[in-house]
Amino acid sequence: MTAVKRLYPLIACASILFSVVAVVAGQFGPDPYLDPLNVTISEYAVSDRGGVTEVAMAVLGVGSLALLAGLRATGAPVRGMPEWLLGVWSGALMVAALVPTTPIGADLDLAAQVHRYVSVAAFVSLPAAGALLVPRLASDERWKPVARVVEWVALAGGFGLLAITYVAMPGERVMIGLVERLLLGAEVALLGVLAGWLLWTTVSPRLSAGRLVPFGDRGVARERERVAAGSALGGASWRSAA
């Protein structure tokens, strides 16, 4: 495996960790009169003078792209719709970070409308990607150990998506900040599981079951050589016995 492939999970894990810490830290910076339980992260970010929240969103988007690149480079079962949805999530995050919404109570301008739609796209795409990945991961020997965890966090993200849809429309935004933060927590957890397992498979060829799993072209080549050598030895032993 090339050094570049090994860098992808490192970048992804570091970006996710940085984003979580930055978002939490950003909650203490804006106007103390803002209630995080009833104010969305985007609205909180408008009053964040240091721009910590926007930076965290952009970094998380970059880290998600690195995660997607790492999954593809190592042959993880993400081809097709899951990789497209992960790409939508990553791109939407970066656009939302660059195009802020309007302050609370102000009319929505064009930039705020763009921010709203890309935020919706981000929130919807990641739980959908997780749901599509579950059967694929379960049928892949390298990823089977985390398939159930991915299923749990994807399900939590789905419930969170339903909850924020209700709160944002008939629920009149009551506790929308809390619901959004819980949804985002489930989605970041999904990214964390994928990035963490990707990193684990790159640094250790032996998974939790204790069985050697070839990973990368060199690993596959070594496994083929071992099987071929074993077959040749078995054939020689059979001929000697005969």
Side-chain angles (χ1 to χ4, degrees):
M1 181 179 302
T2 63
V4 175
K5 290 182 181 180
R6 294 181 182 274
L7 280 177
Y8 288 139
L10 290 174
I11 295 173
C13 289
S15 300
I16 294 170
L17 180 60
F18 171 85
S19 300
V20 171
V21 173
V23 168
V24 172
Q27 304 301 297
F28 300 97
D31 192 334
Y33 295 101
L34 293 178
D35 183 5
L37 298 181
N38 292 294
V39 176
T40 66
I41 295 177
S42 297
E43 293 167 340
Y44 225 70
V46 174
S47 60
D48 185 0
R49 298 180 180 87
V52 176
T53 305
E54 288 92 340
V55 172
M57 293 170 63
V59 170
L60 185 59
V62 172
S64 300
L65 283 178
L67 172 61
L68 177 57
L71 292 171
R72 293 185 59 181
T74 55
V78 297
R79 298 287 181 176
M81 188 58 68
E83 68 176 340
W84 281 103
L85 291 171
L86 286 172
V88 170
W89 156 266
S90 305
L93 272 183
M94 289 186 284
V95 173
L98 295 174
V99 183
T101 187
T102 54
I104 301 174
D107 294 332
L108 295 180
D109 55 14
L110 178 59
Q113 292 284 358
V114 172
H115 182 96
R116 169 179 288 184
Y117 289 126
V118 296
S119 297
V120 171
F123 282 136
V124 172
S125 60
L126 196 55
L132 292 175
L133 280 175
V134 170
R136 298 186 180 201
L137 299 181
S139 60
D140 189 297
E141 286 297 323
R142 293 172 299 170
W143 289 88
K144 187 175 182 179
V146 295
R148 182 58 60 86
V149 180
V150 171
E151 182 179 11
W152 290 340
V153 291
L155 186 61
F159 281 123
L161 190 60
L162 292 175
I164 198 170
T165 301
Y166 172 80
V167 169
M169 299 177 72
E172 299 182 350
R173 293 175 55 92
V174 176
M175 304 293 283
I176 190 171
L178 175 61
V179 174
E180 185 192 55
R181 284 161 176 79
L182 292 175
L183 170 59
L184 185 60
E187 297 188 330
V188 172
L190 174 58
L191 295 174
V193 170
L194 295 175
W197 192 253
L198 179 63
L199 178 61
W200 172 247
T201 56
T202 58
V203 300
S204 175
R206 295 185 180 277
L207 300 184
S208 58
R211 187 170 72 86
L212 181 63
V213 178
F215 201 82
D217 296 338
R218 294 182 181 178
V220 172
R222 293 194 196 100
E223 181 69 7
R224 288 174 178 172
E225 291 173 0
R226 186 185 66 79
V227 172
S231 299
L233 181 60
S237 299
W238 179 83
R239 286 194 297 268
S240 297

